[in-house]
Amino acid sequence: MGELEGSYRVIQTPGTRLGAPFNAGISTLEAGQALSANMSAAGKNYGRGLQMRVVGLDESQEFYDMETKSLGQTLLSEVFQRGNLIENDYFGLEFQNTQMNWVWLEPIKPIVRQVRRPANTLFRLSVKFFPPDPGQIQEEYTRYLFSLQMKRDLMEARLLCTENTGALLASHLVQSEIGDYDELGDRDYLRLNTLLPYQDKVQDRIMDFHRRHLGQTPAESDFQVLEIARKLEMYGVRFHPASDREGTKINLSVAHMGLQVFQGNTRINTFNWSKIRKLSFKRKRFLIKLHPEVHGPHQDTLEFLMGSRDQCKIFWKNCVEHHSFFRLLDQPLPPTKAILFSRGSSFRYSGRTQKQLVDYVRDSGTKRTPYQRRNSKIRSSARSLAYDIRLHSSSSELFPGHRVTPFLSSSPPPLSFPFLSPLPSLLPSPSLLLSPPLPSSPPLLTLSLPFSYPLSPLPLFSSPLPSSPPNPLSPSLSPLLLSPLSPLPPLFSSPPDKAYFIAKEILTTERTYLKDLEVITVWFRSAVIKENAMPEGLMTLLFSNIDPIYEFHRGFLKELDQRLALWEGRSNAHVKGDYQRIGDVMLKNMTALKEFTGYLQKHDEVLTELEKASKRVKKLETVYKEFELQKVCYLPLNTFLLKPIQRLMHFKLILERLSKHYPQDHPDHHDCSEALKEVAQIAAQLQSSLIRLENFQKLTELQRDLVGVENLTSPGREFIREGCLYKLTKKGLQQRMFFLFSDMLLYSSKGVTATNQFKVHGQLPLHGMIVDESESEWSVPHCFTIYSAQRTVVVAARSEPDRCPDPPPSTLPPFSIYPVSVEQESEDEMSSSHGSLDKQAHHRANTTLHVCWHRNTSVSMSDHSLAVENQLSGYLLRKFKNSNGWQKLWVVFTNFCLFFYKTHQDDFPLASLPLLGYTVSTPEEVDGIHKEYVFKLQFKSHVYFFRAESEYTFERWMEVIRSAAGRMTLLLNRK
């Protein structure tokens, strides 16, 4: 007989044929319950119904009487109703099947068709959908259950993290359950309750962390647990064992952003929903069909082999449900009934989407009865988080000077928040060594298949809910969603002077600069010391040059923050004096900065020696590569070594702007002019060094990304331009990446191997090269031929190219083409690729090389130099094209890219937006944006709006984004 898919063959034993009772090997009796009593109860209920046993997240057990033919939804509804769970769509019931794997109870199928012995099966309530931001969860009770899920995952070793992070999570759990620190109480509690598999090892650290949570309410503790857990690599990850085409054992997982591939506990690839066109399975094969533009028309299907057809279908169903819940705005309609026969599965997600759930909780006004935390000595009432939680950390961070008063009444008065608050003071935040972003794996080529689920190509950014509603009462006040219809109180009683915003720019960019220095002085130092990977001589050379600079800027930042606090009136020091100026602070520190010129001049040597040592010392090379994969290292590591000299150029440009703004008789004009002279003198001495460093850094970056070329950093070689053209091959016009240097021309294609590097196909010397326009000969628009001594190459652009800003040698073609619609991408693709890096490839997806490839554009070295001179940081409000609210984010512009943080204190960005190929403009009437200081970013169908706090900051953001665009067009249509 052939194989019957989706069914079990039960072979009877002699005992069962003779009527012997089946022994499952697992006792289902309660403590003190006799077997005879259990059998009599079963006989009594036989034919009338089933009694289901459900374990809650707090380990309590409940029994539910169900009809024999009840659907799974019936049991789910009973559990949610008895628990008074409003945001119930995040949860589900799971049970172990015959293979002892945890599977979800399906709502639309009868229970008896899913569970072999329902009355003897233990169901447990669990979180099914893990949102990326706990601020999207609106109910305190829901957050409490989520924190219990994190507690369960820690104990079951699902939520993997460092011991330090595990101890911090456990300390918040202890705070939520027994309250403030008490040494004797802590030891008793930890002796009786196990929160971590390695709890004995870190018990003292748990208690030390717990001591710091004095006065923290249970609701605050729950939120802190979720805020820490969501940043971990294994947050919400559930493994489904599989193997690739080569037989390598891997694990598949599905999350809010798409599908993830793990090797062991290391993530090696991520496939965003926007990249996936169809998910399907056939017997034991699970297939992912990508959009043709992602990996090309002949490499668009990936195949994975799972243990059985049932395991394959279970994972496929999980993927369908996650896509529907997080990506769709409305509940998907059931498939139409086939007239004669149907092919494939009719399974569809049957619950509410996250968008519908958020809207329901917000608009329904459902009132919950008070609930009791079973494991806690502290009582909590429903919705108390919105009224009783103390918002000291979030409010001081986002709204300094605005006191948030706790309300105990059932109907709190409306809260009013400012649009953009004055910048908060620096508050130290504990840095957690979380798991780094992990690499990507090779795609696998295979065939098409019958059972499939097409995915809708909805745009996605850092949040899966582009239209998330405002939730000002959430403890996550950052990012803040503001209604565009709500009145925004002004920042100042009278409009501030432009000098204030220039001074504020100095402060905000200094904050980012100090964070960048910490990547070297704190994070990288820790990595090399831990592994003893760096030679002592290089260690001394590197840190003896950068440590003094770091210490100087720490003091400088403190002075800037104090001056802006006095300027804004948020300081408690009521002293007489004119503090609405910045020139005196700049003059003092720019004069002091001259003492560090010697250190800055050695950065050329530091960068060269570090590169040589990383090639010579294997351990250092390994640490170097692994460190660049950490989230905190959001740019190539050697880029951070250029920051001190680049910062001088920033000071020079800002002081020039400030000096031009002040009239000659202004009290601050003289100090600003003198400070400008001081920094200009230092910058002039280091200008040539900066040019060499930027060229060397670019060459080393390309050396890591290109396969098939050696010694790219040869002395005297200069990088000129990189960009995409179409090369004529036997298969027709194929996209290629070209690199123009002062002595040669390279062209390459993106690899499909595990390294994901670019493979060099040709290396043409410039000496003797001839370029000839050949449209008529090949009948290809915008076509030209490159003749060299070695070979002839025919290339073309999609449109008439602009002349590049750098005058190339007269025999060379202009490497500037317009963006071409080559692929359908979204910002999450770029940001997730930025977080899904391959350790062997050692690249970042938001480097200009990869962005130029995906956006089909080009960028020159002069563009690089211009872009790094125009770095900017600050808070902006961001809005999606179809959303109603504005989200407050800390935005950093550097290296042709916008990086998004919740606050300026975060150690690494949440998402990134490469700007090459984007257009920037002011909103049109059809956009429906009736606010001041709003600019619009657009690439193909992806549209985002950003709102600045003043005309000056609006113009500055427009200016720096224009400098980063490369081939981007600036469209000014201000009304």
Side-chain angles (χ1 to χ4, degrees):
M1 294 180 64
E3 180 183 358
L4 297 177
E5 294 191 13
S7 61
Y8 298 104
R9 291 189 61 192
V10 182
I11 301 177
Q12 291 184 329
T13 63
T16 56
R17 287 197 296 269
L18 295 174
F22 176 72
N23 181 12
I26 301 174
S27 174
T28 61
L29 300 180
E30 298 298 316
Q33 186 177 5
L35 177 63
S36 58
N38 188 57
M39 293 178 64
S40 63
K44 183 178 180 180
N45 292 330
Y46 179 76
R48 296 196 309 168
L50 302 169
Q51 190 177 63
M52 306 294 185
R53 186 158 55 109
V54 178
V55 175
L57 282 159
D58 58 0
E59 304 305 324
S60 62
Q61 290 194 18
E62 299 280 350
F63 291 88
Y64 298 85
D65 293 323
M66 296 284 111
E67 297 292 334
T68 306
K69 297 182 179 180
S70 295
L71 300 178
Q73 183 61 55
T74 307
L75 179 57
L76 283 166
S77 299
E78 287 287 331
V79 172
F80 296 150
Q81 183 177 0
R82 190 178 298 184
N84 195 20
L85 184 55
I86 297 175
E87 294 177 288
N88 51 54
D89 295 87
Y90 288 116
F91 301 86
L93 292 177
E94 56 180 351
F95 63 94
Q96 288 184 300
N97 60 11
T98 53
Q99 288 79 36
M100 304 305 292
N101 296 321
W102 287 101
V103 296
W104 295 105
L105 181 69
E106 293 184 32
I108 58 177
K109 288 178 64 176
I111 299 175
V112 292
R113 290 187 57 188
Q114 304 179 63
V115 187
R116 176 169 293 183
R117 303 174 65 200
N120 296 325
T121 298
L122 178 66
F123 297 88
R124 69 177 187 180
L125 180 68
S126 301
V127 175
K128 189 173 187 178
F129 301 113
F130 291 81
D133 185 356
Q136 296 170 343
I137 304 173
Q138 303 179 66
E139 289 286 321
E140 177 192 334
Y141 182 57
T142 311
R143 281 188 287 269
Y144 165 56
L145 295 181
F146 264 79
S147 71
L148 293 180
Q149 181 69 58
M150 298 303 104
K151 178 181 176 182
R152 178 190 289 175
D153 288 352
L154 281 171
M155 194 54 226
E156 294 180 356
R158 281 181 167 181
L159 187 62
L160 300 179
C161 57
T162 63
E163 290 183 355
N164 196 55
T165 304
L168 182 61
L169 285 166
S171 69
H172 284 295
L173 292 170
V174 173
Q175 175 72 20
S176 70
E177 296 188 358
I178 68 173
D180 290 340
Y181 173 79
D182 175 74
E183 183 176 359
L184 183 61
D186 276 32
R187 293 193 183 278
D188 289 341
Y189 179 82
L190 294 174
R191 178 173 54 84
L192 299 173
N193 298 274
T194 303
L195 303 177
L196 299 169
Y198 45 86
Q199 182 168 301
D200 292 341
K201 185 178 179 181
V202 297
Q203 179 167 317
D204 291 339
R205 263 186 280 178
I206 296 174
M207 295 174 64
D208 184 53
F209 280 129
H210 185 206
R211 188 183 292 109
R212 307 178 190 179
H213 306 328
L214 183 67
Q216 188 170 279
T217 66
E220 288 177 306
S221 299
D222 294 341
F223 188 80
Q224 290 300 323
V225 168
L226 300 184
E227 187 66 20
I228 297 169
R230 74 174 182 88
K231 299 177 183 178
L232 298 175
E233 201 73 62
M234 304 297 289
Y235 169 68
V237 170
R238 299 293 182 263
F239 281 159
H240 295 261
S243 59
D244 59 19
R245 282 184 57 188
E246 298 174 356
T248 304
K249 298 297 181 182
I250 59 171
N251 289 304
L252 300 178
S253 179
V254 60
H256 67 92
M257 85 290 282
L259 272 66
Q260 300 171 325
V261 183
F262 289 81
Q263 194 163 12
N265 294 322
T266 302
R267 188 171 65 191
I268 59 174
N269 212 340
T270 299
F271 299 102
N272 284 67
W273 296 124
S274 51
K275 291 182 180 179
I276 302 173
R277 185 165 65 89
K278 184 186 293 185
L279 295 174
S280 46
F281 71 97
K282 185 176 183 181
R283 294 186 174 90
K284 296 192 293 185
R285 290 186 297 150
F286 184 82
L287 299 106
I288 304 173
K289 196 171 186 67
L290 303 172
H291 287 287
E293 298 85 355
V294 177
H295 285 288
H298 305 291
Q299 303 157 356
D300 63 343
T301 305
L302 311 180
E303 178 181 336
F304 300 95
L305 190 66
M306 306 190 81
S308 66
R309 178 187 181 275
D310 288 340
Q311 292 179 22
C312 206
K313 189 172 184 179
I314 287 170
F315 181 59
W316 176 79
K317 288 180 176 180
N318 285 348
C319 294
V320 172
E321 291 181 319
H322 274 76
H323 175 266
S324 300
F325 182 77
F326 287 111
R327 293 281 289 184
L328 301 187
L329 301 180
D330 299 313
Q331 184 176 343
L333 298 174
T336 56
K337 296 287 185 179
I339 299 176
L340 296 176
F341 62 90
S342 63
R343 186 180 184 184
S345 174
S346 61
F347 175 80
R348 291 294 183 272
Y349 174 63
S350 58
R352 290 176 294 199
T353 66
Q354 190 184 28
K355 172 65 166 58
Q356 290 176 316
L357 177 60
V358 170
D359 290 344
Y360 167 75
V361 177
R362 179 191 61 191
D363 300 333
S364 65
T366 307
K367 299 296 182 183
R368 181 204 308 289
T369 56
Y371 70 93
Q372 173 67 31
R373 296 169 180 255
R374 291 178 183 270
N375 301 324
S376 177
K377 297 179 180 179
I378 309 168
R379 297 194 175 190
S380 300
S381 61
R383 301 181 182 271
S384 66
L385 184 59
Y387 318 131
D388 197 34
I389 186 172
R390 290 168 306 153
L391 301 175
H392 57 274
S393 58
S394 296
S395 60
S396 64
E397 181 178 322
L398 284 176
F399 311 111
H402 293 265
R403 181 178 178 86
V404 181
T405 307
F407 297 99
L408 301 178
S409 59
S410 59
S411 57
L415 297 180
S416 176
F417 295 117
F419 163 49
L420 282 175
S421 62
L423 288 169
S425 58
L426 289 174
L427 298 175
S429 58
S431 301
L432 302 178
L433 296 175
L434 306 180
S435 304
L438 297 167
S440 44
S441 69
L444 304 170
L445 182 62
T446 186
L447 305 174
S448 201
L449 44 129
F451 302 116
S452 62
Y453 174 69
L455 301 184
S456 58
L458 293 179
L460 189 67
F461 201 72
S462 61
S463 169
L465 276 180
S467 55
S468 298
N471 186 19
L473 297 179
S474 168
S476 177
L477 293 180
S478 174
L480 174 67
L481 297 179
L482 295 172
S483 170
L485 302 178
S486 60
L488 299 173
L491 269 175
F492 303 93
S493 57
S494 61
D497 184 69
K498 180 180 177 180
Y500 163 78
F501 293 108
I502 299 177
K504 192 171 180 179
E505 180 183 336
I506 298 174
L507 173 65
T508 56
T509 52
E510 187 70 9
R511 280 186 170 141
T512 297
Y513 171 61
L514 199 67
K515 281 286 185 182
D516 288 342
L517 288 183
E518 288 177 355
V519 173
I520 301 291
T521 60
V522 178
W523 298 89
F524 185 58
R525 187 205 303 267
S526 175
V528 295
I529 290 177
K530 181 180 179 181
E531 300 296 332
N532 193 23
M534 185 177 288
E536 186 176 348
L538 178 59
M539 193 90 167
T540 303
L541 176 65
L542 172 59
F543 294 109
S544 65
N545 275 279
I546 200 167
D547 283 347
I549 298 172
Y550 172 67
E551 291 302 322
F552 166 77
H553 282 277
R554 284 185 64 187
F556 179 39
L557 177 61
K558 185 177 181 180
E559 287 188 51
L560 288 173
D561 189 59
Q562 290 172 347
R563 176 54 57 88
L564 265 293
L566 292 168
W567 197 331
E568 295 164 353
R570 56 186 167 95
S571 171
N572 293 326
H574 300 288
V575 293
K576 295 182 179 181
D578 180 15
Y579 290 105
Q580 293 188 347
R581 54 193 175 92
I582 198 68
D584 58 331
V585 176
M586 295 302 295
L587 177 57
K588 171 190 171 185
N589 286 276
M590 293 305 100
T591 303
L593 193 58
K594 292 177 66 175
E595 301 176 5
F596 297 93
T597 306
Y599 296 111
L600 296 172
Q601 289 173 334
K602 287 187 178 181
H603 276 230
D604 199 338
E605 179 187 356
V606 170
L607 194 62
T608 305
E609 291 301 318
L610 180 61
E611 187 65 25
K612 289 180 181 178
S614 64
K615 294 179 180 179
R616 186 177 67 252
V617 182
K618 190 67 177 177
K619 184 183 290 187
L620 177 60
E621 180 185 19
T622 302
V623 172
Y624 191 112
K625 291 182 177 181
E626 289 181 349
F627 181 75
E628 278 201 326
L629 298 175
Q630 293 189 22
K631 294 178 182 178
V632 71
C633 188
Y634 66 99
L635 296 170
L637 178 61
N638 54 15
T639 303
F640 294 100
L641 291 172
L642 274 62
K643 296 289 185 179
I645 304 181
Q646 290 172 350
R647 185 60 177 158
L648 290 174
M649 309 305 167
H650 304 159
F651 285 145
K652 181 174 176 289
L653 293 172
I654 294 175
L655 285 170
E656 285 176 351
R657 201 176 305 120
L658 194 57
S659 296
K660 290 179 181 178
H661 165 69
Y662 282 136
Q664 293 286 339
D665 57 348
H666 193 281
D668 207 24
H669 180 271
H670 178 266
D671 287 343
C672 288
S673 299
E674 292 300 315
L676 176 58
K677 290 178 183 178
E678 296 287 349
V679 75
Q681 182 181 351
I682 310 173
Q685 296 179 30
L686 297 169
Q687 182 65 42
S688 59
S689 179
L690 177 60
I691 294 173
R692 290 196 307 273
L693 286 170
E694 289 178 344
N695 182 71
F696 183 77
Q697 188 278 326
K698 183 61 182 178
L699 292 176
T700 55
E701 180 184 305
L702 290 176
Q703 184 71 74
R704 290 183 173 90
D705 269 328
L706 296 177
V707 176
V709 60
E710 300 294 335
N711 299 322
L712 203 57
T713 57
S714 297
R717 177 172 292 149
E718 295 181 11
F719 168 76
I720 298 175
R721 177 171 287 272
E722 61 188 344
C724 285
L725 292 171
Y726 287 82
K727 180 179 178 292
L728 189 62
T729 67
K730 294 179 180 179
K731 298 180 181 179
L733 289 174
Q734 299 286 321
Q735 184 180 354
R736 294 289 184 264
M737 193 72 184
F738 282 75
F739 305 91
L740 177 61
F741 301 93
S742 57
D743 60 337
M744 65 176 177
L745 175 68
L746 301 180
Y747 61 90
S748 64
S749 64
K750 191 171 184 181
V752 295
T753 63
T755 60
N756 204 25
Q757 293 167 289
F758 282 76
K759 182 179 180 180
V760 175
H761 295 285
Q763 182 173 334
L764 310 178
L766 294 191
H767 182 71
M769 181 181 290
I770 300 174
V771 177
D772 180 35
E773 295 184 5
S774 50
E775 289 189 18
S776 58
E777 179 181 352
W778 296 99
S779 300
V780 177
H782 319 301
C783 177
F784 52 91
T785 306
I786 303 173
Y787 299 95
S788 74
Q790 299 174 343
R791 68 184 71 181
T792 301
V793 179
V794 180
V795 294
R798 284 288 186 92
S799 59
E800 185 64 31
D802 287 342
R803 293 291 170 180
C804 61
D806 306 323
S810 57
T811 56
L812 293 180
F815 284 85
S816 299
I817 61 175
Y818 289 110
V820 185
S821 298
V822 175
E823 78 167 355
Q824 190 72 23
E825 66 177 345
S826 73
E827 276 46 70
D828 248 15
E829 292 185 43
M830 303 307 298
S831 62
S832 67
S833 297
H834 171 61
S836 304
L837 305 174
D838 191 278
K839 287 187 176 180
Q840 296 178 2
H842 190 62
H843 76 269
R844 293 189 172 277
N846 63 358
T847 57
T848 54
L849 168 58
H850 295 84
V851 178
C852 284
W853 174 265
H854 287 292
R855 302 273 169 84
N856 203 347
T857 186
S858 69
V859 64
S860 70
M861 193 62 205
S862 61
D863 294 328
H864 279 276
S865 300
L866 178 62
V868 297
E869 288 180 1
N870 282 287
Q871 299 194 12
L872 195 60
S873 308
Y875 281 104
L876 289 176
L877 295 186
R878 186 189 65 188
K879 180 184 180 298
F880 298 95
K881 179 171 59 175
N882 298 319
S883 66
N884 297 323
W886 294 85
Q887 188 180 26
K888 187 175 183 181
L889 295 170
W890 175 261
V891 184
V892 173
F893 164 76
T894 185
N895 292 56
F896 298 95
C897 194
L898 294 180
F899 294 93
F900 301 99
Y901 303 74
K902 274 194 170 184
T903 73
H904 70 272
Q905 296 174 339
D906 291 354
D907 290 322
F908 52 83
L910 303 174
S912 62
L913 172 58
L915 293 173
L916 289 174
Y918 265 78
T919 58
V920 61
S921 65
T922 51
E924 301 174 356
E925 190 65 31
V926 68
D927 295 320
I929 304 294
H930 304 293
K931 301 289 182 183
E932 288 186 320
Y933 316 134
V934 176
F935 60 92
K936 173 183 176 182
L937 282 176
Q938 183 169 3
F939 176 74
K940 299 178 184 177
S941 61
H942 308 295
V943 179
Y944 306 99
F945 301 97
F946 293 89
R947 186 179 177 192
E949 64 174 322
S950 68
E951 183 177 6
Y952 170 80
T953 52
F954 164 79
E955 291 174 350
R956 281 291 293 139
W957 280 106
M958 294 282 280
E959 178 185 350
V960 299
I961 291 173
R962 177 174 55 180
S963 73
R967 299 310 306 151
M968 184 177 69
T969 305
L970 181 68
L971 304 175
L972 288 175
N973 54 354
R974 294 184 64 185
K975 303 296 183 289

